[in-house]
Amino acid sequence: MSVKIKGYIATSADGYIATQDGSVDFLTPFQHIDCGYDDFIADIDMVVMGRKTYETICSFGEKWPYPNQKGIIITSQENLPLIDSSLSIWTQGVEALVTHLNQNYDANVWLVGGAQLQQSFIDAHLLDSLENYVMPVLLGSGIPLFPQRAANEYPLKSMHAEMIENTVMKITYQFK
């Protein structure tokens, strides 16, 4: 058994996933562009996210957007209220989670949102790939896709870029 840990995220042209206050309103003008989300999510068996991303999704007040995937929320809050029966809490860290997943599942896993959680997977060499959709807008500041790293440089296996509708740049990073 083994899992593939994948990222799928959008950024501004200057590399931010959100404004400093967490807003992603800069993405709204580009929602009509098909970036392949339906095909991506159809291939995903499980979603993993941190507490902040989970709480942001819950704040929308709508039903759980990933009803066909098992969901894992990484948090230190063992009593975090869960809004769907497909969800569970993980409190033991990312390396222990990936070990658990590899021992128990054969699955494609989407690491949903959150630069901090994503960076912890990268630093631990656990992220397999990342699809980054670069929008033609400059934010000037915000939450960076790749926060400054304490570790040394990290060589990628490969990178691939393509344009979508002459507007959005899709960059795929292969980490493994």
Side-chain angles (χ1 to χ4, degrees):
M1 300 198 154
S2 70
V3 296
K4 293 284 183 202
I5 310 287
K6 302 176 179 188
Y8 180 102
I9 200 162
T11 65
S12 62
D14 49 354
Y16 297 104
I17 63 169
T19 59
Q20 208 59 51
D21 66 357
S23 171
V24 294
D25 289 344
F26 75 94
L27 298 174
T28 302
F30 309 104
Q31 287 182 342
H32 67 282
I33 298 173
D34 181 4
C35 291
Y37 177 80
D38 291 340
D39 290 337
F40 176 82
I41 197 68
D43 193 42
I44 296 298
D45 306 297
M46 187 177 302
V47 294
V48 171
M49 66 190 71
R51 180 190 51 79
K52 289 179 190 174
T53 298
Y54 172 70
E55 288 178 343
T56 298
I57 292 170
C58 291
S59 75
F60 299 149
E62 299 178 17
K63 46 186 236 187
W64 184 241
Y66 312 111
N68 300 319
Q69 290 81 19
K70 176 178 177 47
I72 298 175
I73 315 305
I74 300 176
T75 181
S76 60
Q77 297 180 10
E78 294 181 8
N79 296 322
L80 184 70
L82 300 176
I83 65 168
D84 192 86
S85 62
S86 67
L87 297 170
S88 60
I89 292 173
W90 186 267
T91 60
Q92 301 172 33
V94 298
E95 292 184 39
L97 173 61
V98 174
T99 297
H100 168 77
L101 294 177
N102 277 318
Q103 291 172 347
N104 295 286
Y105 297 95
D106 187 21
N108 288 316
V109 178
W110 177 20
L111 188 58
V112 180
Q116 184 179 355
L117 181 62
Q118 183 172 274
Q119 192 63 49
S120 66
F121 273 76
I122 291 170
D123 287 344
H125 299 270
L126 299 172
L127 189 64
D128 290 286
S129 64
L130 172 64
E131 292 181 19
N132 177 24
Y133 295 85
V134 182
M135 303 297 152
V137 61
L138 298 172
L139 296 181
S141 66
I143 301 169
L145 172 62
F146 298 116
Q148 287 190 341
R149 302 179 67 235
N152 293 327
E153 66 183 54
Y154 189 112
L156 301 173
K157 181 178 176 184
S158 67
M159 289 176 54
H160 174 78
E162 63 185 89
M163 287 297 295
I164 300 172
E165 295 187 22
N166 274 342
T167 304
V168 175
M169 175 69 70
K170 175 185 176 186
I171 303 173
T172 304
Y173 303 91
Q174 285 298 138
F175 291 91
K176 296 183 186 181

